[in-house]
Amino acid sequence: MGAKRPDRREFLRGGAALAGGLTVGAAEPALGQAPPEPERYVRGDPDLIAYGERSRFVTSVRIPHPPGGRESPDAFGLVFHVAAPLQDSVGTITPSSLHFVGTTRGSLMPEIDPAEHRLMIHGMVERPLVFTMQDLKRLPSVTRLHFIECAGNRARSTHKDVQESHGMTSCAEWTGVLLSTLLEEAGVKDGAAWVVAEGTENVKGASSFPLAKAMDYCIVAYGMNGEAVRPQNGFPLRLLIPGFEGIFNTKYLRRIKVTDEYYLNYNDYGHLSRDDTRAALGYQVGPKSVITHPSGGQRLPGHGFYEISGLAWSGGGAVSRVDVSTDAGRSWQEAEIQGTAQRMAHTRFRLPWSWDGQEAVLMSRCTDEVGQVQPTQAQVAEHFGRPDNPSAGVPGLDNTIQPWRVAGDGSVHNARA
Amino acid sequence: MGAKRPDRREFLRGGAALAGGLTVGAAEPALGQAPPEPERYVRGDPDLIAYGERSRFVTSVRIPHPPGGRESPDAFGLVFHVAAPLQDSVGTITPSSLHFVGTTRGSLMPEIDPAEHRLMIHGMVERPLVFTMQDLKRLPSVTRLHFIECAGNRARSTHKDVQESHGMTSCAEWTGVLLSTLLEEAGVKDGAAWVVAEGTENVKGASSFPLAKAMDYCIVAYGMNGEAVRPQNGFPLRLLIPGFEGIFNTKYLRRIKVTDEYYLNYNDYGHLSRDDTRAALGYQVGPKSVITHPSGGQRLPGHGFYEISGLAWSGGGAVSRVDVSTDAGRSWQEAEIQGTAQRMAHTRFRLPWSWDGQEAVLMSRCTDEVGQVQPTQAQVAEHFGRPDNPSAGVPGLDNTIQPWRVAGDGSVHNARA
């Protein structure tokens, strides 16, 4: 690769942002030659003109979660959850076609005619209301970037890649009406303290959450990434409870009841009991982050310059800082955060890195706007009184740091394995 | 509608944001009744698990532009350009499947294997370089929201809706390497003043632009809305020249040449000649805006509360202010801008409106960060010395204000007609 050294020198000359240098690519075609023509032209048919598709060369897909999938409890479907291919992610948005799906119906989903759909607001309100989709679209709306994350999104030593370890979170641009707008219109009665949201799913279709949260940041969303919410994410209406674990973000939303007590929610896990203090342990996500490139299952083609890139998020608000280590946590460098970090949204972080070809362990650590810091697995084990068994897993939500080991041959592996 | 008046009173009580009030929707189902079950459940097949689709109830599609389509010059395809359905847009992002397409090949597009694709940088540089896609993805990257707009996006009295009048602009989250990073690496020689970008299209595949612009904000993009750039938008590589008219944003980018003179670009319009001063007239877009709801072809179901919503953008930078008129420009109110306006990006604006059922003419006016203000059609006609003929059209890019007339029956029409 000697012929490429001049380029590396240039990258060094380019300063810190380019420290390390790139081993510039193939010698073919030779400089001055015209690059090859495309193998062929494709004639778009009317369907492609109406609604375009991705290239046949792009094969990134979602996978069942947990890896290998499992029978759903009622055998309605073969797939339990569906995880997003974060290893191929660029930027901050998850494409709607690749957004993770949490379900207890396997791949079964309600098909709802939006013209027939209604949202009812009742319980401890002055004026019970029923809204059509057309009504909702007349009301003052907001558009915000928010992540959703399933409580099942927990790193394990058995995970081969970031799709298996962190693929149960995604981020989209959601548009809809603030829940507070609807509740103010209905008129919340004195003594109300809780809200129960119900979706059109016989299983896992309801959740209780505090009225205080309902009045803050929650969105009754009909738009997702610039078009209608996708069926797998609750078409025509999904409740966004930004920062709370995924199960609270009720899909196929049809009813909101204001109450004075915490309700038992019907779900398949039982991690939401009538004990609201216990339930509260499951509310808020993060602070959390993961490196998506280089990550498990990928391979670095050679030493030299690389950009370390990943996603950070927190249920506590905006990401304020991300630090990256390339030496298993002995030293840390502050990464660059893309643009202005949004509240309860995935945030892309990046750090230039010159790989010397030696084994390296890569880690990222998120700090959020309220000062919360993402812990290591060992710190959490210590906290829960079992320092001798750090891999036992974390009760509640797992936001521990994910280490990736880059081997001398450039292959990348889960360093927990 | 007497039974619904209590709701309107509530919206009035809600204050300015809700001034006017909503006529709340259908009486069915009666309050307290359970909303209807979905007509059926859909079982997702493995394809839907891998890569999801939109609901069959969502039928928003792109249309040929100009309306009705036309034979492309070489009869390679039936469709000339393809316009985005902005009348259905929510938020700021255009879904990649609905992003407008400008082409002179009709629906014909190059199909490129990314493993074979190369980007060459040559001309007046110290070190000509050839990059593979893998090389480019190792370099420092950025993610930014940017619009692209075709010069053919010009309001006409014959346009029935906003898709016909403004559908040749879209906005996406683009990810890639700054062109300045690549040019600094190649080393631009003294005396260089222009850059020519060439794509893998035999027609409309090249453009010249000033070196100063090349060093500022331009992106060699491989990512679009969180996945690979779509084929209709230049897969695997598109050059983003934010703020410049669409034709400069070269698709299927394969070659960048640094030169000391302005090159004649091969295109089908001739509006880029060797006269670089004349060409300069076509560079920068905006300031511009359009109301997407209520807009032509839509119908308001009754008087009462509505949110007026639309998109604003400028090639000059970020949108700093949008004003809306509901009385044909006699009076203006400042609209709310969603979040932090990004530079050279669509920006969603909103204004609450109580429609009294009388005829109204709605207009929006964009002001950008450099103080440029969107003109009326009459102001432009005055400027070009034909005040007696305001509808003659605008030379160069047309960013005139689009008026929509709301008739007493709630139907919305192009007020230029």
Side-chain angles (χ1 to χ4, degrees), chain B residues 178-365:
Chain B
L178 286 173
L179 178 55
S180 60
T181 299
L182 301 180
L183 291 177
E184 285 162 5
E185 182 53 18
V188 175
K189 289 182 175 174
D190 295 344
W194 293 91
V195 175
V196 184
E198 176 192 79
T200 307
E201 280 182 301
N202 297 337
V203 180
K204 187 172 167 284
S207 66
S208 293
F209 52 98
L211 180 61
K213 178 65 180 180
M215 301 306 285
D216 178 38
Y217 265 87
C218 298
I219 303 173
V220 174
Y222 49 76
M224 176 186 185
N225 288 339
E227 61 186 348
V229 170
R230 290 293 185 89
Q232 291 168 321
N233 276 284
F235 179 83
L237 211 53
R238 181 169 199 173
L239 178 62
L240 268 283
I241 306 191
F244 275 30
E245 75 166 75
I247 197 172
F248 287 94
N249 297 262
T250 304
K251 295 189 283 190
Y252 319 105
L253 182 67
R254 68 177 179 183
R255 195 199 300 249
I256 291 172
K257 185 174 185 179
V258 179
T259 74
D260 57 1
E261 64 176 323
Y262 181 83
Y263 269 62
L264 174 64
N265 294 293
Y266 182 33
N267 69 83
D268 296 338
Y269 313 104
H271 67 294
L272 300 180
S273 71
R274 287 205 77 116
D275 175 356
D276 56 3
T277 53
R278 173 160 168 242
L281 294 175
Y283 285 163
Q284 196 163 289
V285 171
K288 195 164 180 178
S289 69
V290 69
I291 293 168
T292 55
H293 188 276
S295 63
Q298 297 174 339
R299 187 182 202 89
L300 306 185
H303 64 286
F305 181 87
Y306 290 91
E307 180 177 74
I308 296 173
S309 177
L311 295 167
W313 61 95
S314 175
V319 171
S320 61
R321 175 187 175 111
V322 178
D323 295 285
V324 170
S325 174
T326 59
D327 57 9
R330 281 184 291 282
S331 66
W332 296 85
Q333 294 172 262
E334 183 168 3
E336 180 191 3
I337 286 178
Q338 174 63 53
T340 303
Q342 303 295 301
R343 304 200 74 218
M344 289 81 81
H346 282 180
T347 302
R348 176 65 58 177
F349 65 87
R350 302 177 168 108
L351 185 77
W353 178 48
S354 176
W355 183 45
D356 60 9
Q358 302 303 306
E359 176 166 305
V361 174
L362 311 181
M363 298 175 160
S364 63
R365 182 178 64 198

Side-chain angles (χ1 to χ4, degrees), chain B residues 27-67:
Chain B
E28 295 305 333
L31 294 178
Q33 272 186 351
E37 287 291 309
E39 57 187 36
R40 61 193 186 100
Y41 281 80
V42 176
R43 185 179 192 134
D45 59 26
D47 286 348
L48 279 183
I49 291 163
Y51 196 75
E53 294 178 358
R54 65 180 183 170
S55 165
R56 69 181 178 89
F57 293 103
V58 178
T59 57
S60 186
V61 295
R62 300 182 294 193
I63 58 173
H65 182 91

Side-chain angles (χ1 to χ4, degrees), chain A residues 350-364:
Chain A
R350 302 178 168 106
L351 184 77
W353 178 48
S354 176
W355 182 46
D356 60 8
Q358 303 303 306
E359 175 166 308
V361 174
L362 311 181
M363 298 175 159
S364 63

Side-chain angles (χ1 to χ4, degrees), chain B residues 140-170:
Chain B
S141 62
V142 298
T143 297
R144 291 172 183 170
L145 205 62
H146 286 308
F147 75 85
I148 303 176
E149 181 176 22
C150 175
N153 210 32
R154 38 210 314 114
R156 292 265 184 272
S157 60
T158 53
H159 292 148
K160 297 184 304 298
D161 56 39
V162 69
Q163 185 167 19
E164 293 184 356
S165 62
H166 292 74
M168 293 300 290
T169 183
S170 295

